[in-house]
Amino acid sequence: MVKVLSVVVMKFSLTRDHPCSNQHYCCSWLSILQLCKKGDFLALDLGGTNFRVLLVKVSDNGKQKMEMENQIYAIPEELMRGSGAELFDHIAECLANFLEKLGMKNQKLPLGFTFSFHCQQTKLDESILVSWTKGFNSHGVEGRDVVSLLRKAIIKRGDFDIDIVSVINDNVGTMMTCGYDDHHCEIGLIVGTGTNACYMEEMRHLELVEGDEGRMCVNMEWGAFGDDGALDDLRTDFDQEIDAGSLNPGKQLFEKMISGMYMGELVRLILVKMAKEDLVFQGHTTPDLVTNGQLQTSFVSAIENDKLVVFVCMLRGLGLDPSVDDCVATQRVCQVVSTRAAHLCAAALAAVLRQIRDNKAAERFARRLHKMVRRLVPDCDVRFLRSEDSSGKGAAMVTAVAFRLAIQHAGRQRILDALRLSQEQLLDVKRRMGEEMNRGLAKESHDQATVKMLPTFVRSMPDGTESGDFLALDLGGTNFRVLLVRVRRWKRRSVEMHNKIYAIPQEAMQGTGEELFDHIVHCIADFLEYMGMKGASLPLGFTFSFPCHQSKLDQGILLKWTKGFKATGCEGEDVVTLLKDAIYRKEEFDLDVVALVNDTVGTMMTCGYEDPLCEVGLIVGTGTNVCYMEEMQNMELVDGGEGKMCVNMEWGAFGDHGELDDFSTDFDKAVDEHSANPGKQTYEKMISGMYLGEIVRNVLLEFTTKGLLFRGKLSERLKTRGIFETKFLSQIESDRLALRQVRSILQHLGLTSSTCDDSILVKEVCSVVACRAAQLCGAGLAAVVDKIRQNRNLPELKITVGVDGTLYKLHPHFSNFMHETVRDLAPQCKVTFIQSEDGSGKGAALITAVACRIRDAGQR
C-alpha cells in the first residue's frame, strides 16, 4: 500500500522545458466543453486494423439529441506497413464509399478525425505523428501532419470535399462523449489494450500554450510514466521480463503494468515461476505454459469470475492438469495482478484528481478502482461514466464545437476585414495625398484643397555654423515653458538647454489678451532672473500651437483659440505683436522675437541639427501633422522662385472632401459623428492617438452586440464614449504584457467576466486598428518623400524624417508598421527615421538660430 501511495506524487510536466520528464502533455486544443452546434458531422475513427466512418446528426429541439450511422472498413496489412500515401488514399476511398451510400457525396460536411497514435498537436486541426504503434509502420508519415496527408488524398481524388475541423485522441473523444451527457465530466480514461488519460487543465499551468485564462484538455500520454525510472522501485522481475521481450523495450512502462495487452502475459510468467518452484501444478510446466502470448487477458477476467469449471477448462487448454488448490492459487494470482493494475491506475488517476482538486474540481470511479481512489483521496467525490462509442461520437462533437467557433471566427474577421488595407488601397491613398498636396500648393486650387500646404517662412536647415544664446517660449496648453538654449559653433549634438515650467491661471486664459501676455512676460522676467540674466536682450523663438495664418517668419495671425483658451482681443491679431507690446509694457528687458513656429517644424529643425539629411518633420501623437522642405518654384502662395521653404501641410484634414470615403468604415463614421468637429480632420481621426481608442471601442461594441465577444454581454462602461483610452492599445499590444494583465484592463472597463479568449480577441482588434493607422500614416509619408525625390529629379533619394509624438514613441508596433509601409510604397526613397527630443522648445530656438545666421550673413 505504501508503495502504491507513492505513485500519487507523479509530477505533472506542464512547462516549456521538461527534458527529464516522461510525461508529455500533448495539448489537444479544446478550450472548454460547450454545447455543440446542431447539424450533420462526419467522424473518422482510426486506431487499429479496422477503422470506422460515422455520420453524426446533432439536433437541439429543446433537448440535446444525437443520431449516428456508421460503417467499419478494414485496413489491409500491406497498407499498415507500406506507403503512407497509399494508406491515406485507402482511407479517402472508404470515405467516398460511405458518402456515396448515404447520397451525400455532393455535400461539404465538417469532419472530426480520431487518430489514436502518439501525436504532437499545435492546433485543433493539425497533428504531427510522433511514432506509429499497434502494428502500423507506414513510411513517410512520422513527423508529418496527418490532417494534411488526409486532405491531400481527398484532393487527389477530386470527387468529394470535406472540411477537416478537428483531430483528437480517443481518450479526448471519451471525455467529450461523456461530457455531452454529463457536463461535470472533465476526465477521459482508456483502460483496454493500452491505457491513457486526458483531463481539463487550467490554462495558467500550460506554458506550452499562450494564454492564462480558462481551461484546455490535456492528452497526458501517461503510458510512458516510469520510462525515466520513476517506477523502478515498484517494477518486479516479471515486469522487467515482459519489457525486455516487448517490441519497445524501456518504453511505455506504466502501460505494461496496467493494460490488457500485458496482463495475461504477466500472470503466465508468475505461474511459470511458481511451477518451477514446485508451488503449483506439482512442479510441472507445459510447452503452452512457457510460450509467450499463450495466456490472454480474457483468461484472467474469466478466472476471476469465480466459476471453477471455466478456468479448469482453460488451464487444461494449456496442457495442465490442475488440482483444486492449483485453481485457487491461479485465481489468486489473477486477482493480485489485476488488483495491482487497478490500484496503479487508481493511484495515477488520484494524481490527476488531486491536480484537478487543486484547480477546484472532482469526480467518482467504480469497483476496485473506485475503492482505491476513495482511500487515496477521500475528499474527492468521483463519478465515472461508461463511454459509448467515444472515439467516433467524441470526434464529431469536437467537430461540432469547432465548427461553431469557426463560424464565429469568420464573423469577426468579416468585420475586421473592413479595417485591413491592401497594397493597392495604400498606393491609392498615396496617390490621392500627392494630388491634394499639389492642389494645396497651387494658388488657383488652394482654397478648395483639404491639405493646405501653408508656408512657414523657414527657408534653411541648421548647417553647424549657428552660435549664440537663444530664448524659446513654448505655449500650447495650460502650462508653458521658457527655455534658454545655448548653441555653439561646430559642436553638433551638444546643445545646452535650461528650462522652467510655468502655469497659466484660469483667469489669464479666459480674461483679456493683455492679462494673458502680461503674465507670459512676467514669467519670462522671472526665468531671466533665475538664470542670472536679468535685463538681457536675446533673440527668441515662439512655439505657438494654435491655428495661425503666417505671412512672415515673425508674424502669425491667431485664427481661433482652442484647448480652453478664451482670452479676448487676440483672435484676428498678430500674436508676435501682442507679445512685443507686453514686453514693452514691462520695461525690464527687450527681446528680439525672430520666429513664430509650429511644433512639427520644430521637430524637423531639432532632428535636422543632428542629421543634415533631415528635411521632413512628422508628429504622430494626440494629433498628427507633417512639414517638409518644398521647392520655392512650386509654392505659388509665396513670391520668389529660388531655394526651398518649409511647408506646414496640415495633413490631418486630408479626406474632408471625400477623398477617403471608400476607406472609411462605420466605426470611423461613428467616431466622427460624436467628435467636437464632425466632418473635419478626417485623416487625423483615422490615425492619431486621440481617436484610435474610440475606434477600438466601437469595434468591440459591434462584436459584443453580435454575440462574438464577452458572451454577448455589454458593460455600461464600455458603452461610454472615450472610456477606451489609446494608451490601452499600447499596453495591450505590448509583447511583455501577459493576457492576465490584458484582462485587468478589460476589468477596468467593467468587463469582469472576460475570458482568455476575449483577451486574445481584444488584442487582435487593437492590432488591426493600430496597423491601419500606421499604414495610412506611412502611405501619406510615402507621398511626401516621393514628391521630394521627383522635385529634384533623382532616381533615388536618401532622406531622414524627424518624428515626435506619443503614439509613435510608445506604441510597441506602430513605428515598424509605418516604416514598412513607406519602404513598400516609396521603394526609390531610402528613408531613415530619428526621434525628436524636445522639438517644440529646442526646435524653436534652432529656427531662431538659423534665422539669425541668415540675417547676420545678409548684413555683412
Side-chain angles (χ1 to χ4, degrees):
M1 177 61 68
V2 175
K3 286 189 176 181
V4 173
L5 284 173
S6 69
V7 182
V8 180
V9 301
M10 176 173 69
K11 292 184 179 178
F12 284 69
S13 174
L14 301 172
T15 59
R16 293 185 186 277
D17 303 309
H18 48 88
C20 298
S21 172
N22 53 296
Q23 290 294 116
H24 300 291
Y25 282 70
C26 303
C27 301
S28 63
W29 293 86
L30 179 63
S31 297
I32 188 169
L33 187 61
Q34 304 178 64
L35 295 179
C36 297
K37 181 178 175 63
K38 62 183 179 181
D40 294 344
F41 303 92
L42 288 172
L44 174 61
D45 180 10
L46 175 61
T49 54
N50 293 322
F51 75 98
R52 286 185 309 151
V53 185
L54 304 92
L55 175 69
V56 182
K57 296 178 179 287
V58 180
S59 59
D60 186 7
N61 300 318
K63 184 178 180 181
Q64 294 175 336
K65 185 179 179 183
M66 189 175 292
E67 300 175 357
M68 291 189 297
E69 296 183 50
N70 74 88
Q71 185 164 336
I72 297 175
Y73 295 90
I75 300 180
E77 188 169 341
E78 60 269 21
L79 292 181
M80 293 172 61
R81 295 174 174 80
S83 161
E86 292 176 355
L87 171 64
F88 283 93
D89 285 346
H90 175 70
I91 294 170
E93 182 180 348
C94 296
L95 273 170
N97 173 266
F98 181 76
L99 290 171
E100 189 166 1
K101 285 183 178 180
L102 294 177
M104 304 179 74
K105 206 169 182 181
N106 294 326
Q107 297 184 40
K108 184 176 181 179
L109 297 175
L111 178 140
F113 189 6
T114 299
F115 189 74
S116 302
F117 299 91
H118 186 191
C119 290
Q120 178 68 45
Q121 282 194 255
T122 54
K123 294 188 292 187
L124 185 57
D125 61 349
E126 182 178 284
S127 190
I128 309 300
L129 176 63
V130 176
S131 60
W132 282 117
T133 55
K134 307 175 188 178
F136 279 75
N137 195 25
S138 297
H139 55 82
V141 183
E142 290 182 354
R144 298 181 65 185
D145 174 24
V146 295
V147 175
S148 296
L149 293 172
L150 179 57
R151 283 183 178 139
K152 185 177 180 180
I154 293 169
I155 292 170
K156 185 165 69 174
R157 288 185 59 87
D159 58 343
F160 72 98
D161 193 15
I162 56 174
D163 182 12
I164 305 174
V165 176
S166 62
V167 57
I168 64 169
N169 184 282
D170 54 356
N171 60 328
V172 179
T174 295
M175 185 187 71
M176 288 294 291
T177 300
C178 295
Y180 187 75
D181 298 320
D182 183 341
H183 290 179
H184 295 291
C185 182
E186 298 186 44
I187 301 176
L189 174 64
I190 299 290
V191 189
T193 306
T195 182
N196 196 11
C198 69
Y199 73 101
M200 297 301 291
E201 177 59 76
E202 300 295 317
M203 286 286 289
R204 66 179 181 272
H205 296 153
L206 287 166
E207 294 187 11
L208 297 175
V209 183
E210 183 179 359
D212 53 13
E213 298 293 334
R215 295 184 294 166
M216 180 179 286
C217 180
V218 169
N219 171 23
M220 291 179 65
E221 292 292 343
W222 78 359
F225 178 46
D227 290 2
D228 62 348
L231 295 176
D232 284 358
D233 55 340
L234 299 180
R235 295 177 66 231
T236 65
D237 293 341
F238 307 115
D239 296 307
Q240 293 173 22
E241 187 173 348
I242 284 177
D243 177 54
S246 69
L247 294 174
N248 55 345
K251 305 293 183 183
Q252 300 295 104
L253 297 184
F254 190 54
E255 184 171 80
K256 290 170 184 174
M257 299 172 76
I258 288 178
S259 71
M261 180 176 287
Y262 304 97
M263 197 176 295
E265 183 66 6
L266 188 58
V267 169
R268 186 191 68 81
L269 291 173
I270 295 172
L271 292 177
V272 169
K273 182 175 179 60
M274 291 177 68
K276 288 180 177 180
E277 294 182 4
D278 201 20
L279 298 176
V280 292
F281 310 136
Q282 299 176 341
H284 295 147
T285 60
T286 67
D288 285 337
L289 183 63
V290 297
T291 301
N292 288 345
Q294 285 299 304
L295 205 155
Q296 302 295 322
T297 299
S298 58
F299 177 92
V300 178
S301 301
I303 287 178
E304 285 201 79
N305 282 332
D306 294 328
K307 293 181 180 178
L308 185 63
V309 66
V310 173
F311 60 85
V312 166
C313 292
M314 287 185 172
L315 291 174
R316 285 176 177 171
L318 295 173
L320 297 166
D321 184 17
S323 66
V324 173
D325 288 342
D326 291 335
C327 292
V328 171
T330 301
Q331 185 180 46
R332 180 58 183 156
V333 169
C334 291
Q335 288 173 342
V336 169
V337 169
S338 63
T339 298
R340 185 190 74 151
H343 285 186
L344 283 170
C345 186
L349 188 64
V352 176
L353 287 164
R354 182 68 70 185
Q355 176 79 1
I356 294 177
R357 175 167 173 73
D358 290 343
N359 301 333
K360 303 248 356 181
E363 298 286 340
R364 162 175 114 70
F365 201 42
R367 229 172 142 163
R368 284 198 189 105
L369 195 59
H370 185 193
K371 181 179 178 181
M372 180 54 64
V373 168
R374 292 178 69 179
R375 293 170 69 183
L376 293 172
V377 279
D379 50 350
C380 289
D381 178 24
V382 186
R383 284 185 298 164
F384 285 78
L385 294 176
R386 183 170 181 147
S387 172
E388 299 295 337
D389 192 23
S390 61
S391 55
K393 183 178 174 183
M397 293 174 62
V398 173
T399 301
V401 174
F403 192 59
R404 177 176 60 77
L405 296 177
I407 290 174
Q408 289 183 343
H409 175 75
R412 285 188 290 265
Q413 295 311 308
R414 276 194 297 272
I415 293 171
L416 290 178
D417 281 346
L419 291 159
R420 294 186 172 106
L421 298 174
S422 67
Q423 178 89 347
E424 291 73 21
Q425 288 175 310
L426 292 170
L427 282 168
D428 208 13
V429 172
K430 175 191 172 185
R431 178 184 58 79
R432 297 180 197 185
M433 176 66 82
E435 291 172 353
E436 280 303 300
M437 290 170 68
N438 289 329
R439 282 165 54 81
L441 288 170
K443 185 179 293 185
E444 183 178 340
S445 55
H446 175 81
D447 289 344
Q448 290 77 43
T450 55
V451 182
K452 288 302 183 184
M453 308 295 284
L454 301 174
T456 65
F457 299 91
V458 173
R459 298 173 183 266
S460 180
M461 298 294 292
D463 65 3
T465 64
E466 295 80 13
S467 181
D469 292 347
F470 304 91
L471 283 179
L473 181 62
D474 179 12
L475 177 62
T478 54
N479 293 321
F480 76 101
R481 289 186 306 154
V482 185
L483 304 93
L484 172 65
V485 182
R486 290 188 164 128
V487 182
R488 296 294 176 260
R489 192 185 307 272
W490 308 117
K491 288 188 178 180
R492 285 186 177 276
R493 306 179 186 274
S494 61
V495 172
E496 180 184 338
M497 292 195 300
H498 304 272
N499 74 89
K500 195 171 181 181
I501 298 173
Y502 296 89
I504 300 180
Q506 190 79 7
E507 56 269 22
M509 291 172 61
Q510 301 184 358
T512 67
E514 281 194 5
E515 290 171 341
L516 173 62
F517 281 92
D518 284 348
H519 175 71
I520 291 171
V521 169
H522 172 76
C523 295
I524 295 173
D526 176 79
F527 179 76
L528 290 173
E529 185 172 359
Y530 169 75
M531 294 299 300
M533 302 175 67
K534 186 174 181 180
S537 178
L538 298 173
L540 179 140
F542 190 3
T543 299
F544 189 75
S545 301
F546 298 90
C548 288
H549 173 71
Q550 279 190 265
S551 56
K552 294 191 297 183
L553 181 60
D554 61 352
Q555 182 185 75
I557 307 301
L558 176 62
L559 301 177
K560 183 180 181 181
W561 280 120
T562 57
K563 308 175 187 178
F565 281 74
K566 294 182 181 178
T568 59
C570 297
E571 291 182 357
E573 298 294 330
D574 174 21
V575 294
V576 174
T577 299
L578 293 175
L579 178 61
K580 286 179 175 178
D581 289 345
I583 293 172
Y584 180 77
R585 287 193 297 272
K586 184 71 172 173
E587 295 183 346
E588 287 187 9
F589 57 88
D590 189 21
L591 296 176
D592 179 13
V593 185
V594 175
L596 182 73
V597 301
N598 166 284
D599 54 355
T600 311
V601 182
T603 293
M604 182 186 73
M605 294 298 285
T606 300
C607 295
Y609 189 73
E610 307 291 336
D611 183 347
L613 291 178
C614 181
E615 296 187 66
V616 182
L618 169 65
I619 299 288
V620 193
T622 306
T624 182
N625 195 16
V626 163
C627 69
Y628 73 99
M629 297 302 290
E630 177 60 82
E631 303 297 319
M632 286 289 292
Q633 64 188 11
N634 296 330
M635 299 181 65
E636 297 181 10
L637 299 180
V638 181
D639 294 335
E642 297 296 327
K644 294 181 284 189
M645 180 182 288
C646 179
V647 168
N648 170 22
M649 289 180 62
E650 291 293 342
W651 78 352
F654 177 49
D656 287 1
H657 292 171
E659 301 92 338
L660 296 173
D661 282 0
D662 46 344
F663 303 121
S664 179
T665 67
D666 291 339
F667 311 117
D668 298 305
K669 291 168 186 172
V671 169
D672 178 59
E673 182 182 342
H674 294 100
S675 68
N677 55 346
K680 305 293 183 184
Q681 298 297 102
T682 303
Y683 192 52
E684 183 171 77
K685 289 172 184 173
M686 299 171 80
I687 290 178
S688 73
M690 181 176 285
Y691 304 99
L692 294 190
E694 187 63 5
I695 293 174
V696 168
R697 188 186 70 86
N698 278 279
V699 176
L700 299 183
L701 283 175
E702 177 79 0
F703 274 12
T704 309
T705 301
K706 292 190 173 182
L708 303 174
L709 188 65
F710 305 136
R711 300 187 182 91
K713 297 177 182 178
L714 281 173
S715 75
E716 288 303 316
R717 285 178 64 80
L718 190 60
K719 295 178 185 177
T720 305
R721 282 193 293 275
I723 193 68
F724 200 102
E725 301 173 46
T726 296
K727 70 176 182 180
F728 292 154
L729 270 78
S730 299
Q731 293 170 0
I732 286 172
E733 284 208 73
S734 171
D735 295 329
R736 298 187 301 272
L737 194 67
L739 290 177
R740 186 179 301 171
Q741 293 165 293
V742 175
R743 190 180 175 200
S744 71
I745 293 173
L746 297 179
Q747 288 174 337
H748 168 75
L749 300 173
L751 300 162
T752 55
S753 61
S754 62
T755 66
C756 173
D757 287 340
D758 291 333
S759 298
I760 292 171
L761 291 172
V762 170
K763 193 168 186 176
E764 182 181 13
V765 172
C766 291
S767 177
V768 169
V769 170
C771 179
R772 184 190 70 153
Q775 288 178 326
L776 284 170
C777 187
L781 193 59
V784 174
V785 295
D786 234 5
K787 186 176 192 317
I788 296 173
R789 182 186 64 81
Q790 292 165 6
N791 284 345
R792 300 173 191 179
N793 197 27
L794 296 172
E796 183 176 281
L797 172 71
K798 289 186 178 180
I799 194 168
T800 298
V801 177
V803 193
D804 203 351
T806 53
L807 183 59
Y808 181 89
K809 290 182 175 180
L810 300 181
H811 191 281
H813 307 300
F814 187 97
S815 59
N816 289 334
F817 286 141
M818 189 188 80
H819 297 169
E820 182 181 349
T821 303
V822 174
R823 281 195 301 270
D824 290 345
L825 303 188
Q828 294 170 279
C829 300
K830 305 303 178 185
V831 184
T832 302
F833 295 86
I834 59 174
Q835 289 189 23
S836 167
E837 297 298 332
D838 195 18
S840 57
K842 180 179 175 182
L846 287 170
I847 292 171
T848 303
V850 171
C852 290
R853 169 175 60 81
I854 295 172
R855 184 179 63 187
D856 293 345
Q859 292 173 354
R860 295 193 186 102

